[in-house]
Amino acid sequence: MPGRLSNRAMPWTRALFAIPVAAAVVFSVPASGQIAQERVDLDAVARIRQEGLERSQIPELARHLTDVIGPRLTGSPGMKAANEWTAATLKSWGLAGVEVEPWGRFGRGWENVSYEGRILTPYSQAMPGQASAWTGSTKGTITAPVVVVEGGADSIAKYGTRLRGALVLLAPPRPLPPEFGESERRTPIDSLFAPVNQRPRAPIGWDTLLVRIQKQQAHGDSLLRAAGVAGVITGSGSAYGTIRGGGDWSATNPDAPIPVPTVIVPQEQYNEMYRNVTSGVPVKVQLNVQNRFLTDDLNAYNTLGDIRGTDKPDEYVMIGAHLDSWHYGNGATDNAAGTVVMMEAMRILKTLNLHPRRTIRIALWSGEEEGIYGSRGWIKKHPDMGPKISAYLNLDNGTGKIRGVWDQSNAKAIPIFEQILWPFHDLGVVAVRHGNTGSTDHVSFDDAGIPGFNFIQDPIEYGLRTHHSSNDVYDHLVLEDLKQAAVVVAATAYEIANRDGMFPRK
């Protein structure tokens, strides 16, 4: 990933906690051509490590959120259950001001009720798959021919009436070469220290971008409906039977037409159907997909809770992760992992009865998958909070342990993070990188001029297997990594909350 590393040499040490020290030690550390001093409370760090590594509740929290509550598509019953459970859990730990707060109008919710698929010709075989979010239902069980639309949805008009009642394939097959090279599961140390170039990140303009995407989705669906297709079959894009997908969230608008049913099947089966049809071999599919749209509450919600500060209670350090997920798995690595890490960090601080000077607030967002809506909506709803937030810390890159943090092009953050994270070098936290990482909730804060940061994590199987896929389940969580992450987050938030001054802005 792009970025520049501040590569000041630091010793790895487990002896740190054997050194007799006072409750706080002042480090004077050269970094990026300047001297910075941070008071790091080593006594608190030692207690946080012991509580988080020896008495963690990560396994229980993760199991309930994934195995019991399950997928958490924004606006779905699963998302509502997750908001209520996280709030109840935070309250049971004694957090203050816990609430499930609406951030604004999201639109209609959606959930899949059932899916049955089978390829009938040229030979009979099961067709495992899932419905793409916010698409419609078939009219019961249908049997329909499969037709390839070359040129995609924009070429539909030239087919005339030939697509009426058909299940269409809109994309060419995707090659799935053997995975000869082993992907890195742990981040090589050299890559954490590799110099890279990156320009400062300009604000993305999320509202404009999302409106454009939704218009494109709505346009494609209108062409399909006009052609009278029975549905769309799309490949997952991933190998070995993995189902991976997203959704047509233009249909969250309750006034929009219901999109034609779209199902995602294993890429291997999609490729086979495409080859047969284009070779003149007829393919017929039996399909029954039933989905439900929900319009009783068009708002969406975040879960919030506080550990109140002592002498600076009206200033805040925020930690957060998105609670919502797609529905293909049960949202374990994306992002139950980040959610339970942030919850556990708050539990650790509350259990140890630590008293930060500033209020530490946890925020568990909804609507992230559809456009980082929950965090952006919260900031828009609370414009008075911006100047009061010292920093926001985010976790949303899977189940891997924390290896460092991006400074989000805020060079003043480097020496602060280097010193706060120094006691965790023995746990693998070694890199403070100058540059940007994007596309998750810290961007909402960064765009609003609030210091917002996302931790660097080991990739494990995130991009390879679990991201937005049917493999995103509890079994692919690395619980020891999440315990490490919770300890690092708890200590980082606590130290930032206890600084004499606010975290420096860009």
Side-chain angles (χ1 to χ4, degrees):
M1 295 179 71
R4 178 181 65 79
L5 178 70
S6 173
N7 57 359
R8 173 179 48 78
M10 280 286 199
W12 287 59
T13 175
R14 290 187 183 273
L16 174 66
F17 298 99
I19 300 172
V21 293
V25 172
V26 177
F27 292 104
S28 179
V29 182
S32 307
Q34 64 186 29
I35 301 294
Q37 293 185 339
E38 296 295 320
R39 296 182 61 84
V40 178
D41 187 341
L42 297 182
D43 177 65
V45 168
R47 295 174 63 201
I48 288 169
R49 286 171 63 118
Q50 184 178 46
E51 177 65 27
L53 298 178
E54 297 180 11
R55 293 180 288 276
S56 175
Q57 291 188 17
I58 287 280
E60 294 82 2
L61 294 171
R63 189 193 66 78
H64 188 91
L65 188 53
T66 58
D67 288 352
V68 179
I69 293 177
R72 303 168 303 281
L73 193 69
T74 298
S76 71
M79 186 69 220
K80 183 176 186 292
N83 279 133
E84 293 172 350
W85 173 76
T86 52
T89 303
L90 296 175
K91 284 181 181 178
S92 73
W93 295 337
L95 268 67
V98 176
E99 63 177 326
V100 175
E101 180 190 45
W103 53 259
R105 178 186 169 102
F106 174 74
R108 59 187 168 194
W110 179 95
E111 64 175 339
N112 175 243
V113 177
S114 63
Y115 170 91
E116 297 176 16
R118 190 165 193 87
I119 299 173
L120 301 178
T121 63
Y123 66 94
S124 179
Q125 57 177 306
M127 187 177 76
Q130 294 198 44
S132 182
W134 284 287
T135 61
S137 306
T138 59
K139 296 178 180 179
T141 300
I142 63 170
T143 299
V146 174
V147 177
V148 168
V149 177
E150 295 184 353
D154 288 334
S155 301
I156 284 176
K158 70 181 183 183
Y159 286 82
T161 60
R162 284 181 289 166
L163 302 182
R164 189 165 300 280
L167 293 166
V168 298
L169 311 183
L170 298 175
R174 179 169 180 158
L176 298 172
E179 295 178 355
F180 290 116
E182 182 68 17
S183 298
E184 293 284 357
R185 265 57 167 189
R186 296 290 183 193
T187 308
I189 193 71
D190 289 349
S191 70
L192 287 170
F193 287 84
V196 288
N197 276 320
Q198 189 182 67
R199 296 178 179 177
R201 189 186 69 84
I204 292 175
W206 280 102
D207 290 326
T208 301
L209 174 64
L210 294 171
V211 166
R212 184 166 71 246
I213 292 172
Q214 290 174 342
K215 285 183 177 179
Q216 291 171 346
Q217 290 176 329
H219 173 67
D221 181 67
S222 68
L223 295 175
L224 292 165
R225 284 186 287 104
V229 304
V232 176
I233 300 175
T234 185
S236 71
S238 296
Y240 304 109
T242 297
I243 304 297
R244 188 192 304 269
D248 184 353
W249 64 88
S250 67
T252 59
N253 178 358
D255 298 322
I258 302 295
V260 299
T262 298
V263 297
I264 302 169
V265 302
Q267 189 66 45
E268 294 88 343
Q269 277 194 316
Y270 182 91
N271 291 351
E272 178 187 302
M273 285 188 282
Y274 194 102
R275 289 190 298 266
N276 276 330
V277 171
T278 55
S279 298
V281 177
V283 175
K284 189 171 290 186
V285 163
Q286 186 179 80
L287 183 66
N288 185 345
V289 57
Q290 300 302 313
N291 303 314
R292 178 183 298 124
F293 284 82
L294 308 164
T295 57
D296 56 326
D297 185 355
L298 300 181
N299 288 323
Y301 299 81
N302 303 316
T303 303
L304 304 156
D306 295 344
I307 296 175
R308 293 292 292 169
T310 54
D311 60 308
K312 295 176 179 287
D314 295 326
E315 295 178 3
Y316 294 80
V317 173
M318 293 187 64
I319 66 173
H322 72 87
L323 181 56
D324 66 304
S325 76
W326 290 108
H327 61 290
Y328 301 100
N330 57 28
T333 68
D334 189 23
N335 188 27
T339 294
V340 300
V341 162
M342 295 306 180
M343 292 177 70
E344 172 72 356
M346 296 296 275
R347 186 199 67 80
I348 291 169
L349 295 174
K350 192 66 180 175
T351 297
L352 296 177
N353 201 27
L354 293 171
H355 299 290
R357 299 177 66 190
R358 292 176 180 83
T359 296
I360 299 177
R361 172 168 291 179
I362 184 174
L364 303 175
W365 313 110
S366 65
E368 190 273 350
E369 296 292 3
E370 295 77 27
I372 318 182
Y373 282 113
S375 54
R376 291 191 300 119
W378 183 84
I379 290 171
K380 290 177 182 178
K381 186 174 180 178
H382 299 283
D384 58 311
M385 286 293 295
K388 301 177 183 179
I389 300 171
S390 183
Y392 170 77
L393 306 173
N394 194 75
L395 196 73
D396 183 22
N397 290 124
T399 189
K401 68 170 61 173
I402 289 176
R403 304 301 305 279
V405 67
W406 290 95
D407 78 340
Q408 209 66 16
S409 293
N410 181 358
K412 298 175 184 177
I414 292 175
I416 297 171
F417 279 127
E418 283 179 328
Q419 294 169 78
I420 289 173
L421 296 176
W422 177 72
F424 301 100
H425 277 211
D426 65 308
L427 298 183
V429 187
V430 297
V432 182
R433 307 205 71 170
H434 181 62
N436 304 297
T437 184
S439 300
T440 186
D441 291 293
H442 71 290
V443 172
S444 301
F445 290 81
D446 189 40
D447 285 348
I450 302 165
F453 306 99
N454 197 53
F455 287 102
I456 300 167
Q457 294 175 260
D458 278 339
I460 312 297
E461 297 175 318
Y462 189 58
L464 185 67
R465 292 279 185 266
T466 64
H467 184 242
H468 295 182
S469 87
S470 54
N471 291 324
D472 193 8
V473 295
Y474 180 91
D475 301 86
H476 295 295
L477 293 175
V478 183
L479 298 175
E480 294 305 311
D481 282 15
L482 298 182
K483 293 175 186 179
Q484 179 258 24
V487 165
V488 174
V489 171
T492 304
Y494 182 70
E495 298 295 347
I496 294 175
N498 284 338
R499 299 183 79 246
D500 288 336
M502 296 279 279
F503 207 95
R505 261 61 172 164
K506 289 183 182 178

